[in-house]
């Protein structure tokens, strides 16, 4: 799964002036990044670089973690044991991806608890895609195919992002992500080749997930003020619009192969550009979901907070056990 | 939660005959729990046959500021590498 870099309240990254940085160290840092060297946790880095990374990596981690919810919703209702085992494994992977990313963010000086608190209090953002409901089993297919497909498109270039721990987390994640997309596509193939009702279910899922998937790449480049700096620092390697176009170009033939119709009347191959032209994205919907007005945004956060609070006694018991054992070992 | 669980660095031996290699970190209350978390997080796809977990605060790391002092002296000692020495092509097994 993936999140784009979203602006958050109380986050004055753009306000962090580079002018306050030591020009010599800044120049040395920028030269290293420009030469595709990796920055490691103990290296000097501009404060704005650190803040941007904390925001992007923690949003990414939150997205992985919240991303378990829409799919977890279907584990008990998977149509057979094979699908159930696969879905369990996928959801467990998403939890793992969240952990790799939280650990990478922690190397920048933020604690796990601070990040979780920011998520639960609504200050931190996560990918808008997870605030849409999973209504039918076909949605699990569409999520794997489209949402994980968009994630892969975003995450492959991030394997070469300039911050070492983030890049290494992305390498692991990308290795695991391909299974997610293929299992989703397989679900779609099965439904698309099934009964009329199953085919309608597959088409309905594509209809509902197509546009939110395109929104996953974030606002258009002209409205993405942080992109230029992030590309310069090699935090991002490609812009939102470039990645979105790539996704459309590879996904449309996959929909054709399923015999399903992409819900965009303006979608058309443009021979001259060598790309598909596609219709306008409803950015009002995107910003509404970013603001927390997504169809199931409240439900998602309620589920996260409940899981955290219900698990408190386990965390407390583990801590008490470790303390007691530590005292016993000390006494021996 | 009142306090953060300590951080552990995780090392995985991919197969016997290879050394353990750093793969990432986990938070856990104690070493046993760290092993169990590391198993779930880092070996879901047969990545290893053995795990080490080490409290992160037990690791002493070199400082990037010492980079020149520590590592630059090696740069002008290319004679430590076999390719420094030119041996004629007709001389074999050396």
């Amino acid at each position: 799964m993936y999140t784009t870099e979203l602006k958050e309240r109380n986050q004055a990254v753009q306000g962090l002036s580079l002018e306050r940085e030591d020009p010599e160290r800044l120049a040395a840092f920028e030269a290293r990044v420009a030469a595709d060297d990796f920055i490691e946790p103990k290296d000097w880095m501009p404060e704005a670089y650190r803040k941007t990374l904390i925001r992007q990596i923690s949003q990414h981690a939150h997205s992985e973690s919240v991303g378990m919810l829409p799919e977890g919703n279907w584990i008990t209702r998977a149509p057979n044991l094979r699908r159930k085992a696969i879905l369990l494994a996928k959801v467990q992977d998403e939890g793992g991806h969240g952990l790799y990313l939280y650990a990478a963010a922690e190397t920048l000086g933020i604690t796990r608890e601070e990040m979780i608190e920011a998520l639960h209090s609504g200050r931190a953002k996560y990918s808008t895609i997870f605030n849409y409901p999973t209504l039918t089993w076909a949605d699990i297919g569409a999520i794997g195919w489209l949402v994980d497909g968009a994630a892969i498109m975003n995450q492959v270039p991030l394997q070469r992002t300039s911050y070492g721990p983030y890049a290494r987390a992305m390498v692991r994640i990308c290795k695991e992500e391909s299974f997610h997309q293929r299992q989703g596509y397989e679900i779609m193939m099965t439904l698309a080749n099934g009964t009329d009702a199953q085919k309608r279910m597959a088409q309905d899922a594509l209809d509902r997930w197509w546009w939110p998937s395109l929104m996953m790449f974030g606002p258009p480049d002209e409205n993405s003020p942080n992109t230029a700096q992030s590309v310069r620092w090699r935090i991002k390697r490609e812009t939102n619009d470039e990645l979105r176009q790539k996704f459309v170009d590879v996904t449309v033939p996959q929909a054709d192969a399923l015999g399903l119709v992409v819900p965009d009347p303006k979608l058309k191959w443009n021979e001259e550009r060598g790309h598909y032209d596609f219709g306008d994205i409803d950015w009002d919907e995107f910003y509404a979901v970013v603001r927390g007005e997504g169809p199931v945004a409240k439900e998602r956060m309620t589920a996260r907070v409940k899981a955290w609070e219900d698990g408190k006694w386990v965390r407390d018991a583990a801590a008490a056990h470790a303390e007691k054992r530590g005292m016993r070992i000390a006494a021996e | 939660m009142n306090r953060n669980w300590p951080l552990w660095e995780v090392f995985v031996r991919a197969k016997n005959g290879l050394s353990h290699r750093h793969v990432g970190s986990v938070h856990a209350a104690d070493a046993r729990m760290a092993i169990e978390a590391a198993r779930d997080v880092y070996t879901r796809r047969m990545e290893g046959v053995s795990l080490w977990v080490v409290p992160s605060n037990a690791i002493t790391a070199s400082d990037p500021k010492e980079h020149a002092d520590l590592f630059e002296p090696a740069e002008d000692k290319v004679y430590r590498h076999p390719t420094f020495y030119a041996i004629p092509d007709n001389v074999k097994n050396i």
Side-chain angles (χ1 to χ4, degrees):
Chain A
M1 300 290 184
Y2 161 81
T3 183
T4 186
E5 189 207 0
L6 300 166
K7 275 181 277 182
E8 290 177 2
R9 274 177 290 153
N10 308 327
Q11 283 269 18
V13 171
Q14 282 170 284
L16 278 174
S17 170
L18 287 176
E19 286 158 21
R20 274 183 299 162
E21 303 286 4
D22 175 354
E24 210 170 293
R25 286 206 285 192
L26 183 61
F29 169 86
E30 297 208 320
R32 277 183 66 190
V33 170
D36 274 336
D37 195 1
F38 287 101
I39 305 301
E40 294 293 344
K42 296 182 98 183
D43 293 340
W44 182 86
M45 61 188 82
E47 212 39 39
Y49 178 83
R50 183 186 300 276
K51 287 268 159 52
T52 302
L53 276 171
I54 287 178
R55 182 180 57 185
Q56 181 171 330
I57 301 172
S58 64
Q59 285 180 354
H60 198 160
H62 296 325
S63 301
E64 301 284 353
S65 173
V66 176
M68 291 190 280
L69 297 170
E71 293 180 295
N73 177 35
W74 277 91
I75 288 173
T76 56
R77 292 178 289 162
N80 57 46
L81 193 55
R82 176 178 179 269
R83 294 287 184 207
K84 185 172 182 165
I86 291 169
L87 186 56
L88 265 173
K90 179 185 191 289
V91 172
Q92 190 189 20
D93 273 357
E94 306 300 357
H97 296 178
L99 285 170
Y100 308 150
L101 289 162
Y102 281 126
E106 284 170 60
T107 63
L108 292 159
I110 187 168
T111 67
R112 182 79 57 91
E113 281 65 27
E114 284 169 327
M115 287 185 274
I116 289 175
E117 198 278 320
L119 174 67
H120 290 182
S121 70
R123 269 186 296 123
K125 300 290 182 201
Y126 55 90
S127 183
T128 50
I129 196 84
F130 304 118
N131 287 336
Y132 291 88
T134 40
L135 303 177
T136 73
W137 173 252
D139 289 11
I140 301 305
I143 287 182
W145 170 37
L146 299 173
V147 176
D148 289 283
I152 291 170
M153 206 51 90
N154 269 308
Q155 290 175 157
V156 165
L158 286 176
Q159 294 178 95
R160 293 178 295 118
T161 191
S162 59
Y163 188 57
Y166 192 24
R168 290 191 286 276
M170 292 321 308
V171 169
R172 290 190 65 84
I173 290 173
C174 285
K175 249 189 230 167
E176 299 177 351
E177 203 79 76
S178 176
F179 135 61
H180 298 179
Q181 191 188 18
R182 291 171 69 113
Q183 66 85 37
Y185 195 75
E186 192 199 60
I187 292 173
M188 295 302 277
M189 280 195 299
T190 308
L191 293 171
N193 293 317
T195 63
D196 285 350
Q198 286 172 322
K199 189 165 179 181
R200 276 199 304 277
M201 196 194 276
Q203 181 64 54
D204 167 63
L206 173 57
D207 290 348
R208 282 182 292 108
W209 289 94
W210 175 256
W211 292 106
S213 297
L214 296 193
M215 292 175 198
M216 281 177 71
F217 295 92
D221 293 347
E222 69 263 25
N223 294 333
S224 182
N226 297 331
T227 290
Q229 180 64 278
S230 285
V231 169
R232 179 176 150 85
W233 280 343
R234 314 242 162 145
I235 294 174
K236 273 172 105 148
R237 310 280 322 211
E238 287 172 79
T239 71
N240 298 350
D241 286 333
E242 285 166 357
L243 290 165
R244 189 166 14 244
Q245 180 71 60
K246 261 193 191 175
F247 175 74
V248 172
D249 290 348
V250 303
T251 310
V252 172
Q254 294 168 357
D256 293 344
L258 291 169
L260 299 178
V261 182
V262 173
D264 179 357
K266 288 190 183 159
L267 186 75
K268 197 167 169 273
W269 177 254
N270 183 327
E271 193 65 56
E272 204 177 309
R273 288 203 310 131
H275 293 291
Y276 282 95
D277 292 335
F278 54 97
D280 297 327
I281 292 170
D282 181 355
W283 292 111
D284 290 341
E285 176 181 325
F286 172 77
Y287 288 112
V289 180
V290 169
R291 283 194 305 271
E293 296 164 24
V296 291
K298 286 203 178 65
E299 196 182 317
R300 296 284 183 251
M301 267 320 97
T302 307
R304 271 297 293 136
V305 171
K306 184 179 182 314
W308 179 250
E309 284 172 1
D310 288 356
K312 183 176 187 304
W313 71 271
V314 180
R315 297 193 299 275
D316 288 347
H321 179 68
E323 198 173 328
K324 200 166 79 180
R325 278 196 47 190
M327 284 192 317
R328 246 185 237 154
I329 290 165
E332 272 165 18
Chain B
M1 194 159 68
N2 317 326
R3 64 199 165 85
N4 299 342
W5 280 348
L7 192 66
W8 304 75
E9 297 305 319
V10 179
F11 299 78
V12 174
R13 185 202 294 286
K15 57 181 187 183
N16 285 346
L18 299 179
S19 50
H20 285 75
R21 194 171 159 205
H22 183 244
V23 292
S25 47
V26 292
H27 285 280
D30 61 23
R32 181 67 217 167
M33 196 177 160
I35 289 274
E36 284 166 11
R39 176 255 189 204
D40 284 347
V41 178
Y42 293 106
T43 63
R44 290 197 301 280
R45 286 178 174 76
M46 300 178 292
E47 286 94 338
V49 295
S50 166
L51 282 166
W52 286 352
V53 292
V54 180
S56 302
N57 61 15
I59 291 177
T60 306
S62 62
D63 187 330
K65 286 201 280 290
E66 300 172 306
H67 183 271
D69 291 348
L70 291 173
F71 306 114
E72 275 177 18
E75 283 173 17
D76 58 6
K77 295 179 179 57
V78 285
Y79 47 81
R80 286 188 163 138
H81 295 278
T83 48
F84 179 74
Y85 305 93
I87 307 287
D89 286 348
N90 61 341
V91 180
K92 301 295 180 196
N93 299 317
I94 180 163

